[in-house]
Amino acid sequence: MKTTVFSAKKIVTMNPQKPDASHVAIREGRILAVGSLEEVAKWGDFELDERFADKVLFPGLVEGHAHTMEGTLWRYVYCGYFDRMDPDGKVWKGSQSIEEVLEALKAAEAKLEDPDAPLTGWQLDPIYLENKPVTRAQLDSVSTTRPVGVMNASGHILYVNTKALELAGLMKSGINHPGITLGSDGKPTGELRGPDAMTPVGVHVGMNRSMTDADERGLRDFARLCVRTGVTTVTDLAARLEPDSVEMLLRVTGEASFPACVVPLRFFLGLSPSELIPEVARLKKLSTDRLSLGRIKLVADGSIQGFSARLRWPGYHNGAPNGLWYVSPEQMQEIYELALEEGLQIHTHTNGDQATQLAIEKLELALKKHPSNDHRFVLQHCQLADRAQFEKMAKLDMCVNLFANHQFYWGDEHYNLTVGPDRALRMNAARTALDCGVPIAVHSDAPITPLGPLFTAWCAVNRLTRSGRVQGEHEKITVDEALWAITMGAAYTLHMDGEIGSIEVGKRADFAVLESDPRESKPEDLKDVDVWGTVQGGRVFAAADA
């Protein structure tokens, strides 16, 4: 059995018993010893690898809420407001107006050779563009003969042209669906909100599987983004996990060159509760070292900036009607009860505080029927929870994974449009959660915002909006707390804290290779710590080669 010892300028372990070291020994992809060279040498013969002598080895970063479909989306037209890096390292310029978005779509349309091929875009968010709705008439200016669809940056809204609606049989009057916006002529405007409305049209605009799942090339491309950002374990938080997709995941992640552990959660839609639970239990048995299956993703509501999240009184600050329910209370409780009985974990998307309240109440009832002392059910996003809700979560042994990046990307919009000055200050309340004893992680929700846990940690520490305002000074957490949240904290929310999240004996040899120690960064500089690459399961991956 070969033993490799890596030396480094510094090894940051996140293990309070031995917080720093200079050498780490690896055998069979796991950590054999951590300490000085003299200490690790006690395990016998080894090969010394000094390539990281001027680097900092940090625990592999854990992205607890992402979607691998971003890898697939990069083959579509980028319509986002912000500049953004693709898997090749190329930075794409953002579009600052709807006119720029339409021009980008027209340029892409002109390059399509197949006259019937759909044109697909992603990451458009009208809230940055005077908050005016995007209509089928605007997308008809791109093409009237081919279907055109553009995904909203939230992932909860799809904008389509007339041709796409025609192909889906929806270009007619008389439709009565809360997710299908109607114009003055009684016909759909082209804005589709929520999976019920989006899915039937998505198949016609090139977003069949890619609305939730990556294809093989997309998975490989997303893994390259992981290497560039120091991520060694990444979730796929709403995967359909159909048989062919599972086969592909097993095959690709099983390749010696694949650089990450993928943790896909089975999306709850498409199966009844009584079908969902045994299916996820079956999938769990297929898990490998680089594919961890057996968890469920439930979605309660939509997005706050898309005005489809469920808010308690007084509702949306700009007077928009309340958002959408994606699940009934009865269905939520049944899924919770069956999952607790089977010992399966559930991550529930709750953006609005009304959705959070429903999840808390239904889990409390389910736990009375099926008590569990280590369920670790997670509320994902949980953006508007107040102290009373966090106190209740703590009593129920719940976890939260907060969307810290929202403070930067939509903080100003929340302050001015969605929830107003008061509630905007408490959004993604990491300080309150920790003070109440709720285990936390923080996340990017890539592709909703770019993958990059160090940037996410920066957001939780500084709480700066894109205009440079501090929004919620009292909810800031420390650098050490934020770094814990993107390593051990995220691992805990996945029931993987015994496998990853720190550099200690017995755990997988997963490291983020950094140019400096993020603990020594000024809070405002945390996002600027450079990533050299990763070590995953003892295998080295350089960002320059990704």
Side-chain angles (χ1 to χ4, degrees), residues 3 5 23 25 32-33 35-46:
T3 299
V5 172
H23 292 77
L32 180 66
S36 66
L37 181 59
E38 181 182 5
E39 288 171 326
V40 303
K42 295 182 183 297
W43 281 93
D45 294 341
F46 61 88

Side-chain angles (χ1 to χ4, degrees), residues 394-428:
K395 291 177 182 177
L396 296 175
D397 294 322
M398 300 174 76
C399 305
V400 294
N401 192 339
L402 299 170
F403 201 167
N405 287 17
H406 246 266
Q407 294 305 126
F408 177 79
Y409 285 102
W410 288 283
D412 293 321
E413 285 68 33
H414 293 317
Y415 188 94
N416 294 313
L417 281 174
T418 67
V419 299
D422 293 316
R423 288 174 294 172
L425 299 181
R426 78 166 194 242
M427 292 187 75
N428 299 290

Side-chain angles (χ1 to χ4, degrees), residues 131 248 290 374 389 400 431 442:
N131 199 36
M248 181 273 290
R290 291 199 288 276
D374 194 30
Q389 290 177 319
V400 294
R431 175 81 274 140
V442 292

